[in-house]
Amino acid sequence: MIPVAEFKQFTEQQPAFKVLKPWWDVLAEYLTVAMLMIGVFGCTLQVTQDKIICLPSHEPRENLSEAPCQQLLPRGVSEQMGGLRQLSGLKNNLDLQQYSFINQLCYETALHWYAKYFPYLVVIHTLIFMVCTSFWFKFPGTSSKIEHFISILGKCFDSPWTTRALSEVSGENHKGPAAGRATAIVVTTAGTGTGKTSEGEKEKVLAEPEKVVTEPPAVTLLDKKEGEQAKALFEKVKKFRVHVEEGDILYTMYIRQTVLKVCKFLAILVYNLVYVEKISFLVACRVETSEVTGYASFCCNHTKAHLFSKLAFCYISFVCVYGITCLYTLYWLFHRPLKEYSFRSVREETGMNDIPDVKNDFAFMLHLIDQYDSLYSKRFAVFLSEVSESRLKQLNLNHEWTPEKLRQKLQRNAGGRLELALCMLPGLPDTVFELSEVEALRLEAICDITFPPGLSQLVHLQELSLLHSPARLPFSSQVFLRDRLKVIRVKCEELREVPLWVFGLRGLEELHLEGLFPPELARAATLESLRELKQLKVLSLRSNAGKVPASVTDVAGHLQRLSLHNDGARLLALNSLKKLVVLRELELVACGLERIPHAVFSLGALQELDLKDNHLRSIEEILSFQHCRKLVILRLWHNQIAYIPEHVRKLRGLEQLYLSHNKLETLPTQLSLCFGLRLLDVSHNGLRSLPPELGLLQNLQHLALSYNALEALPEELFFCRKLRTLLLGYNHLSHLSPHIAALRALSRLELKGNRLEALPEELGNCTGLKKGGLLVEDTLYEGLPTEVRERMEEE
């Protein structure tokens, strides 16, 4: 006997595939097993027992009727046909081999093909049904998607994050109206992607006796590994969704195999009903074997006819039920829009309103999942929600960035404030708001920041930097920062991306903006919202503006520092600068200026002017700076200035003059009349000599002459007794005067890159000069007397 287990390979799928089998496929599977057992049982009988038994007929040939076995019919029938004589104990004189020969010959020629091959047909048809049912689980184009989907579905179903997310939602939905404002706080926080309520707020809610709050179900906290696994699942679901929603091969394949089963069912039903009556117990057989056996007519007994007829009717019954399930499947396939799947009920139940509807094969598989258990799609939907993903990211961030770890990153910034700098994080950790001592918060390359109500815990926050980090600020947080925040820095691709709430910070004193105007707005360069900042003192704008924004004049009454960095774009209209009557510092960097703007000379309160990286060739207008009586710092570096006019002498109040990275070859003697000069930087030019009159600058403390072509220094230079820093590196000096001993205040001396052969031992008289402040080649330093080196190396 052939065991049914041999056919297991035709129906075997992975156990996980059962989730894609609706009830009709499960019923059809059991029906095919029953039909297969019928076929296997019939085939076993065919093999193990005699198929047919034949006896010769003794009727004369001329009297032989059309049905030689009619005399064996029941008596009533026989009498109606005219009684036939009864025979008993006839001897046929045939041996066993002749009987076997006749049995086989009659089986092949006289027995109807349906009665002969019925069990084999049952097996074949059943195997075809099995193949049609499971073909889409085996076909490469569909099986890969199904296996991937089943794998992801199982992981999403079992993920601790799914349980946590649904439990949180369940806890929120089961809170009665008595929870009131406390519940609203939790929901708002979750909606912004933070999902965290401070301990103080929780204690406040629980402490109110008149409000009954239903405790949400306890949820196990995710460890770091589980959080990372859930994060990977979100990425897999996104990629799988994009891949599967592109086509409908699964839907098409399922329809095709169902249509094929229906057609097969109809064909089987028709021919079985037609031929089932061909299975008869008695079979007449006429064969020309008289020369071999002595008989030509035989009456045969189909030994399994009675059993086969019963099996046939049983088989037809199973086929009918199977066909009904197939017809219902077709009705289900064409009656419902299976290529679209809506999570509306899940959205209403969970409150995750951002769960997207899906289409094509993704939708079809979810419809099949619902037939198995709708809980699968509900748990799977958690990983389609961006809100859920943001909650998970927030949770992972909070695990990774503990308050202790964040405190290690605290340091003082240039403004002296205690700053926390975070760069390139997937979000803003909630633990940041537990560091109440933070005074400055710097966020760089962090996307989609939404400040939670917990921002109010940063009671000392005065400075905020958002560098390529777009941020949303709830109204409650705007109220908190409105009078508290003093400095804000925003850097983005385009200035229209600057959050509008920035211009509502009425206590703001410093605003630093970096970004480009769109090409159509670059010439106008409008920043209308600036007029709302009534206490603004410092404005820094790095962009491609074609003119000074007109709104700058709205804050002219209190603006003290203005910095315009144009990245090379030419700044044309500058007349509005005249209105900045209290401006103390002005920077016009990389603005394409060819001359010093005349509007600058009207700024009577101006103390510092920086014209770095422009196209200045002549500075004849420097005479007009005498009207800027408070000007003490002038930066004209990184230009193309070839000479300094003589009226530089008019700048008697000037204390710092930066002329490095220009094309100067000489310095005017009138520069020595700027008696208040404390710093002079003319490095990176083409100076070959220095005027001796520089010795008159008795207040000079810092002189930078590096990267020029100086071959000698005037002796008068060493009359500048207050000189502390002297940079002479990378010139053509071959000798250093011993008079350098007069510079007793000297603490930094650079001599590298010259042609010096030795250093004067008088360097030992420069009591403020130590080894760390002397930049010179090691060989020259070693040439100094031992006592000089020892003195320099003293602490």
Side-chain angles (χ1 to χ4, degrees), residues 37-216:
M37 292 179 67
I38 291 174
V40 172
F41 180 64
C43 291
T44 304
L45 293 178
Q46 288 278 65
V47 174
T48 58
Q49 298 183 8
D50 293 333
K51 302 174 182 177
I52 194 170
I53 299 175
C54 297
L55 293 177
S57 176
H58 290 270
E59 290 289 334
R61 183 181 297 273
E62 60 274 9
N63 295 331
L64 195 62
S65 65
E66 291 297 325
C69 296
Q70 289 296 328
Q71 66 272 24
L72 299 179
L73 293 172
R75 180 173 296 275
V77 179
S78 177
E79 290 177 353
Q80 293 176 5
M81 299 176 62
L84 299 176
R85 65 187 182 89
Q86 296 183 358
L87 300 176
S88 61
L90 295 179
K91 294 183 179 181
N92 298 320
N93 297 320
L94 296 176
D95 57 18
L96 184 60
Q97 290 183 346
Q98 290 174 321
Y99 278 118
S100 298
F101 174 75
I102 293 169
N103 290 345
Q104 293 295 331
L105 190 60
C106 287
Y107 178 80
E108 297 294 336
T109 58
L111 194 63
H112 192 271
W113 64 268
Y114 182 78
K116 191 189 312 181
Y117 299 118
F118 164 72
Y120 302 109
L121 293 174
V122 172
V123 172
I124 293 173
H125 295 330
T126 304
L127 292 179
I128 293 176
F129 280 138
M130 290 180 174
V131 170
C132 291
T133 302
S134 62
F135 182 72
W136 73 322
F137 293 129
K138 304 294 184 181
F139 183 66
T142 57
S143 63
S144 59
K145 292 182 179 179
I146 293 175
E147 290 175 0
H148 197 183
F149 176 72
I150 295 297
S151 174
I152 293 177
L153 182 68
K155 292 177 181 178
C156 292
F157 190 89
D158 297 330
S159 174
W161 172 246
T162 310
T163 304
R164 177 186 175 90
L166 293 177
S167 298
E168 286 180 352
V169 171
S170 175
E172 292 171 4
N173 291 343
H174 282 81
K175 286 182 180 180
R181 180 163 44 86
T183 303
I185 291 175
V186 175
V187 174
T188 303
T189 305
T192 56
T194 58
K196 184 178 179 66
T197 306
S198 68
E199 294 297 329
E201 291 172 338
K202 292 180 181 177
E203 292 175 1
K204 181 180 179 182
V205 171
L206 296 176
E208 294 177 355
E210 69 278 11
K211 295 184 179 181
V212 179
V213 181
T214 304
E215 288 289 344

Side-chain angles (χ1 to χ4, degrees), residues 381-676:
V382 171
F383 286 87
L384 291 171
S385 168
E386 292 185 2
V387 170
S388 175
E389 184 177 9
S390 64
R391 289 181 183 178
L392 174 64
K393 290 180 179 178
Q394 197 65 39
L395 186 65
N396 287 340
L397 273 176
N398 297 341
H399 278 311
E400 181 179 359
W401 294 94
T402 60
E404 294 73 19
K405 184 176 179 180
L406 290 173
R407 281 192 173 90
Q408 295 176 2
K409 294 179 66 65
L410 291 176
Q411 57 184 359
R412 296 285 175 182
N413 62 10
R417 296 186 176 97
L418 192 61
E419 183 180 69
L420 174 62
L422 300 176
C423 180
M424 299 183 69
L425 296 184
L428 184 61
D430 292 332
T431 48
V432 168
F433 308 109
E434 298 180 20
L435 308 182
S436 58
E437 66 270 26
V438 170
E439 298 174 330
L441 183 59
R442 180 184 177 93
L443 307 177
E444 184 173 357
I446 302 177
C447 299
D448 296 329
I449 299 173
T450 299
F451 288 107
L455 180 65
S456 59
Q457 299 178 33
L458 303 182
V459 293
H460 296 101
L461 186 65
Q462 296 182 1
E463 181 177 338
L464 178 62
S465 300
L466 300 173
L467 311 180
H468 294 293
S469 302
R472 294 184 294 274
L473 190 68
F475 179 75
S476 59
S477 298
Q478 291 185 37
V479 174
F480 171 75
L481 293 180
R482 187 168 53 193
D483 298 318
R484 193 178 303 270
L485 206 60
K486 302 300 181 184
V487 181
I488 189 166
R489 292 179 172 84
V490 180
K491 182 178 181 180
C492 50
E493 293 295 330
E494 294 188 356
L495 286 178
R496 58 186 170 188
E497 299 175 10
V498 177
L500 292 178
W501 55 263
V502 169
F503 302 102
L505 303 174
R506 63 189 184 189
L508 200 64
E509 297 180 357
E510 294 187 24
L511 175 61
H512 304 266
L513 300 178
E514 182 174 347
L516 300 178
F517 285 102
E520 65 275 11
L521 300 178
R523 185 179 297 273
T526 56
L527 283 175
E528 298 299 332
S529 302
L530 279 178
R531 62 188 57 174
E532 304 297 329
L533 304 177
K534 300 302 183 182
Q535 298 186 27
L536 193 65
K537 297 179 181 179
V538 177
L539 174 61
S540 175
L541 178 62
R542 182 165 187 166
S543 66
N544 57 338
K547 66 176 184 178
V548 178
S551 55
V552 171
T553 59
D554 297 322
V555 293
H558 43 82
L559 194 65
Q560 298 180 6
R561 184 176 187 273
L562 175 63
S563 175
L564 299 179
H565 196 305
N566 238 28
D567 285 330
R570 190 170 183 182
L571 192 64
L572 298 175
L574 293 168
N575 290 332
S576 57
L577 293 178
K578 296 179 179 180
K579 299 181 180 181
L580 305 178
V581 292
V582 297
L583 194 69
R584 297 179 181 178
E585 301 178 27
L586 176 62
E587 292 183 3
L588 301 175
V589 179
C591 293
L593 302 177
E594 296 181 355
R595 304 184 71 86
I596 300 176
H598 289 280
V600 173
F601 305 131
S602 303
L603 305 177
L606 191 66
Q607 297 179 5
E608 297 184 24
L609 176 63
D610 189 346
L611 299 177
K612 179 183 178 182
D613 202 12
N614 282 283
H615 303 311
L616 301 179
R617 297 178 182 274
S618 172
I619 53 174
E620 290 290 342
E621 303 88 348
I622 201 171
L623 176 64
S624 300
F625 276 124
Q626 62 183 329
H627 301 295
C628 303
R629 300 185 181 280
K630 296 183 179 181
L631 185 67
V632 294
I633 301 176
L634 179 60
R635 296 184 174 93
L636 300 173
W637 47 1
H638 296 268
N639 281 280
Q640 302 175 24
I641 301 172
Y643 74 99
I644 301 175
E646 295 180 356
H647 11 274
V648 69
R649 66 180 183 275
K650 298 291 184 180
L651 306 181
R652 298 185 181 276
L654 200 63
E655 295 181 3
Q656 299 182 22
L657 178 60
Y658 295 83
L659 290 166
S660 65
H661 295 84
N662 279 286
K663 297 182 177 180
L664 298 174
E665 294 185 358
T666 59
L667 293 178
T669 57
Q670 291 77 4
L671 185 62
S672 60
L673 299 179
C674 300
F675 298 118

